[in-house]
Amino acid sequence: MRDHQRGDAALNGNLPVEPNAFVGRSAELAGLAAALDAARLVTVTGPGGVGKSRLAARAAAGAGMRDGAWRVELAPLRDPEFLDYAVAEALALTDQTTRGPRETLLAHLAGRELLLLLDGFEHLSEACAELVADLLGRLPRLRVLAVGRRPLHLAGERLFPLAPLPEADAVELFADRAAAQGVPVGTDAADVRELCRRLDGIPLAVELAAGRLRALSPRQLLERFDDRFRLLTGGARNALPRHQALRTAIGWSHELCTPEERLLWARLSVFAGQFDLEAVEYVCSGHGLHADHVLDVLTELIAQSVVTREETLVGVRYRMLDTIRAYGAEWLQATGDALRLRRRHRDWYIGLATWCELDWFSPRQAEVAARVEAELPNLRCALEHCLTEPGEAHLGQYLAGSLWFLWVGCGRLPEGRHWLERSVELDAERTANEQSRLKALWVLGYVAILQGDTVPALAALQECRDEAERIANPTALAYAEHRTGCLALVSDDMGRAETLLRSALERYQEIGELNSNVLMGQVELAMARAFLGDLQDAVRISEDVRRICDDHGERWARAYALFVLGYAAWAEGDLPRARSLLSACLSDAHGFHDLLGSVLAVELLALVTASEGDAAEAAVLQGAASRIWPSVGLPLFGSAYYNAPHELCEATARGQLGDERYEECVRRGRLLGREAAVTRALRRGETDPALDGVPAPRGGHGRGGGAGKRRPAASRTRKGGETAG
């Protein structure tokens, strides 16, 4: 049997599109489908390269779960501490609160009928078993399909051992992969059958053999295989023959490589997940592999199916199967060159982070965001190396601090806080490296502020400020003062916020600092001025920020400037302008996955909508915002000033709709996912049929109109509490 996955299938989930023909396995596929119908946990087991992942993905695609099938690729993950984060990331969840990722997963999956495919868990088996047991015990509609070399050993687990391909299917697979390279093998049928038998029908081994057909005929492969089989069958006597066959096949493929190809294969094992050509050329060249030869050698490894080429949003990238990477890692360790390569890898990704931080304040901001997302597995490896290798703590602090734009601007606050806290807990050299620690401290304070965790935020910022004053570091002092002013702003101490922010901005000017952080300091000052009633000054400051952002192509800080301008336009009664500004703010913030900027914009758009006279839609948007806030932190920071527009919107909508209808609309808004909520908030002039029959407004401003200035009073009674809806 051979089949292609239908390209027009609208899969609900993230299962990969099959890259080539699915050969054989019809009986196994039916058996696995039956197992999934009968048990909530099914584990596909078997040796590496036997085709477990491919079969599981095909079965998951046909499972027919209401909320889809979602694959979590665990092979690149090294630290079990990040298992929950990896699952949340595969489910496209973003959470910036202080709650753990497990709580985020449970909240998201509650009530959903969903299949979770955990692929390649064997190196994280204990952590995976604990996670699966917890999820299945608390989520009755969840099913889990696990893929690994051994069981999870959980109650209720149904094992599905996968054997190698029968000879006929293995031959068909070999012929299919040969034909894809333009090499027909019809006249070599006997040699192909013998070769597939020697390879024990393991799909990976068959594909590796087919990858050599550009250089060798099946007969030559068979002759060479005989020698390499005897040489490289070095496993334990009691090991399964197919385990020995896989290692033999990989080792044989390795032996067929040139010395430069073997060297590059080993060195590529330091990468996690995907990598690009520039990284390979820097990390892997030298010491026997000239930089000018890297591309040619990499191309040969791709042709031999050792490396896979992939088209991504950030260009052409490469990856290695985990089994092949592990084989290369053993050879790298044996050469005694592993530590040097890990340091080269670290240096490259520290350089990448440095470049990305500088380029964040440029027209390439969106490109930077996409790049660091793609490089996250390698950045994690570099961070882990720095924080575990003696004498490199200062590099870990530098890297964690330099990635502030990833943690803050791209919706990764919890992970950022993890790395930052680990880095500042380590003792680094308190000399020239002190600057790295100070940066990690103020970034940690910033992250904690946005999560609504004020006590550790203040502690980190105070330590940063004290140390900066002690060693006379004007840059760290400016950032510590700036973020302390930001903390005062969200804590409703507007006088102190203004004093600290103005002082920090003066310090920035003295040292010649201009970047997205500096512009955010101006935006925060503008917000403080707006809350204190000086809208004219707030507009002046925000317009200055917008001009600078436009000059430099900056979009992230610009979105927050538009938020302040939108607030001021609403307060001045210019509703069309307020809607235009806030819609642009929401569009940009959502594009960066910045949940804080997005939900703040939705909150104010709800107020604008109420002011236009559409109370029902305003209530729906408030409900949508209330669903987003738990993934950000304390709703509206627990701030009376930030909460006042929300309270005014609620009072206006309740007054026009009545309590029962208002609550109904809020509940409807809570059902909207983040994408749907943003789409709806950006929509204008369209009527929701579900809201037909809403009572006519009782007083208030008509749709699209605006009369006079509105200045919502800050209601201190709501300080620290949850927002309505």
Side-chain angles (χ1 to χ4, degrees), residues 130-200:
E130 188 274 330
L131 170 64
V132 170
D134 192 23
L135 294 182
L136 290 177
R138 299 165 70 177
L139 301 167
R141 297 184 180 180
L142 177 70
R143 291 179 184 269
V144 175
L145 178 56
V147 177
R149 300 183 190 182
R150 56 186 180 184
L152 286 169
H153 297 296
L154 292 175
E157 179 182 23
R158 175 167 293 199
L159 298 182
F160 192 90
L162 188 61
L165 288 168
E167 180 183 318
D169 288 342
V171 169
E172 186 178 5
L173 176 62
F174 188 93
D176 179 84
R177 301 308 189 249
Q181 301 180 72
V183 183
V185 293
T187 59
D188 303 303
D191 291 335
V192 170
R193 282 196 304 272
E194 178 62 20
L195 186 59
C196 289
R197 279 197 296 270
R198 298 287 186 92
L199 293 171
D200 217 7

Side-chain angles (χ1 to χ4, degrees), residues 596-607:
L596 175 60
S598 298
V599 73
L600 287 173
V602 172
E603 288 277 8
L604 272 190
L605 280 168
L607 178 57

